């Protein structure tokens, strides 16, 4: 395939960026999207030009690192996949593809297509954990009975990979789906109940401090989420937050 690529280029966080156009030929339908960018970068390097900087790590849809806005959609036109799992057979010969970084105040651009998502890490650090006594008198987690429906719901919430597609898809750049998934995976389990009130208050407070917008129940976050994290988690977090606030 022959493609026209319109790619956001930005030298650093302090510089203004702009869309630059590249022509790329010889793209195979079975290439992944990142492999296509690898081919482009090799051509740029061969010509002595600066390659396009983009995030990637596992390339298996697990780490959530390879987050790109492709033709206006987080992770591109396919569903239930990350950018690294998107294949070029989703496009046609002669297509024009616009590639940008995720856009949100809380995700400032570092360079080209790479954004700073440490805001997610700070939300997680605010309360996305349980405090466990490891002094030698610990209790085996498997000895604590957990209802099957709650265990399943906690597992599904825990599949969130923190890629940020929910934020990029939201017209308000809200991080409610991410935060609620991290709250839910703890709140649904007995191990997480002890610190439940402190956790939800601290994580929501940190989310607001980071500058994310509010949720207005549009639902774009769930649609674009590569792991299909449910809006039910947002409802659960709202209940947890209300309960903790009135105690």
């Amino acid at each position: 395939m022959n493609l026209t690529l319109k790619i956001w280029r930005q030298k650093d966080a302090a510089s203004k960026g702009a869309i630059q156009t590249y022509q790329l030929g010889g793209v195979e339908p079975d290439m992944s999207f990142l492999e296509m960018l690898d081919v482009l970068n090799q051509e740029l390097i061969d010509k002595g030009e600066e390659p396009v900087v983009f995030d990637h790590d596992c390339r298996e849809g697990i780490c959530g690192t390879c987050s790109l806005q492709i033709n206006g959609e987080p992770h591109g036109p396919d569903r239930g996949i990350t950018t690294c799992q998107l294949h070029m057979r989703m496009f046609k010969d002669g297509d024009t593809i616009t590639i940008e970084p995720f856009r949100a105040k809380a995700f400032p651009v570092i360079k080209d297509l790479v954004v700073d998502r440490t805001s997610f890490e700070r939300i997680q650090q605010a309360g996305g954990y349980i405090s466990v006594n490891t002094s030698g008198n610990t209790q085996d987690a498997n000895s604590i009975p957990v209802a099957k429906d709650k265990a399943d719901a906690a597992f599904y919430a825990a599949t969130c990979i923190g890629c940020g597609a929910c934020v990029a898809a939201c017209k308000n750049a809200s991080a409610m789906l991410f935060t609620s998934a991290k709250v839910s995976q703890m709140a649904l389990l007995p191990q997480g109940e002890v610190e439940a009130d402190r956790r939800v208050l601290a994580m929501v407070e940190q989310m607001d401090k980071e500058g994310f917008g509010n949720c207005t129940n549009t639902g774009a976050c769930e649609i674009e989420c590569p792991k299909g994290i449910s809006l039910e988690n947002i409802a659960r977090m709202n209940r947890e937050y209300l309960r903790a606030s009135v105690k």
Side-chain angles (χ1 to χ4, degrees):
M1 292 189 292
N2 296 309
L3 300 171
T4 299
L5 304 177
K6 293 183 176 293
I7 302 177
W8 181 262
R9 303 301 308 266
Q10 186 171 333
K11 183 179 180 181
D12 52 46
S15 302
K16 289 186 177 181
I19 293 287
Q20 293 189 18
T21 302
Y22 302 92
Q23 302 297 326
L24 184 63
V27 177
E28 297 293 333
D30 290 333
M31 283 182 178
S32 73
F33 199 85
L34 297 189
E35 287 171 337
M36 180 273 294
L37 289 178
D38 289 339
V39 172
L40 171 66
N41 276 344
Q42 188 59 58
E43 289 193 3
L44 293 176
I45 291 169
D46 291 343
K47 291 188 289 187
E49 299 180 23
E50 183 80 12
V52 177
V53 178
F54 60 93
D55 258 341
H56 64 94
D57 191 0
C58 74
R59 298 201 179 200
E60 293 180 345
I62 298 171
C63 70
T65 304
C66 60
S67 301
L68 298 177
Q69 194 87 347
I70 302 167
N71 285 345
E73 295 185 82
H75 298 303
D78 209 348
R79 290 290 176 268
I81 55 99
T82 55
T83 300
C84 63
Q85 295 173 302
L86 177 66
H87 284 83
M88 299 312 297
R89 54 180 170 267
M90 295 297 296
F91 303 94
K92 301 187 298 293
D93 182 44
D95 274 358
T96 296
I97 305 174
T98 302
I99 309 168
E100 300 174 272
F102 280 178
R103 301 293 191 183
K105 178 183 177 182
F107 289 166
V109 175
I110 297 173
K111 183 173 182 177
D112 290 346
L113 303 175
V114 177
V115 298
D116 181 355
R117 282 173 289 181
T118 54
S119 52
F120 270 11
E121 296 176 16
R122 289 188 289 273
I123 293 172
Q124 184 83 348
Q125 290 164 0
Y129 54 85
I130 59 171
S131 299
V132 178
N133 182 351
T134 58
S135 62
N137 189 29
T138 56
Q139 183 178 10
D140 187 345
N142 290 330
S143 68
I144 303 174
V146 181
K148 179 69 164 56
D149 59 337
K150 287 194 173 184
D152 287 346
F155 178 84
Y156 292 139
T159 60
C160 169
I161 57 176
C163 67
C166 52
V167 175
C170 179
K171 61 187 179 183
N172 307 316
S174 172
M176 287 283 281
L177 193 67
F178 166 79
T179 307
S180 67
K182 300 306 178 184
V183 167
S184 290
Q185 73 179 76
M186 301 295 179
L188 286 161
L189 299 176
Q191 294 91 337
E193 290 177 359
V194 177
E195 298 167 293
D197 293 345
R198 183 203 62 78
R199 176 184 303 111
V200 69
L201 292 174
M203 292 182 75
V204 170
E205 180 183 7
Q206 187 62 43
M207 177 184 69
D208 291 340
K209 283 182 180 178
E210 297 295 342
F212 291 104
N214 293 320
C215 173
T216 49
N217 296 312
T218 303
C221 54
E222 181 178 351
I223 293 172
E224 299 292 354
C225 175
K227 301 301 177 183
I229 301 298
S230 173
L231 290 175
E232 291 177 2
N233 291 293
I234 295 179
R236 182 180 297 108
M237 185 176 74
N238 287 338
R239 293 194 298 271
E240 292 280 326
Y241 186 85
L242 179 60
R243 184 187 67 182
S245 298
V246 298
K247 281 189 175 180

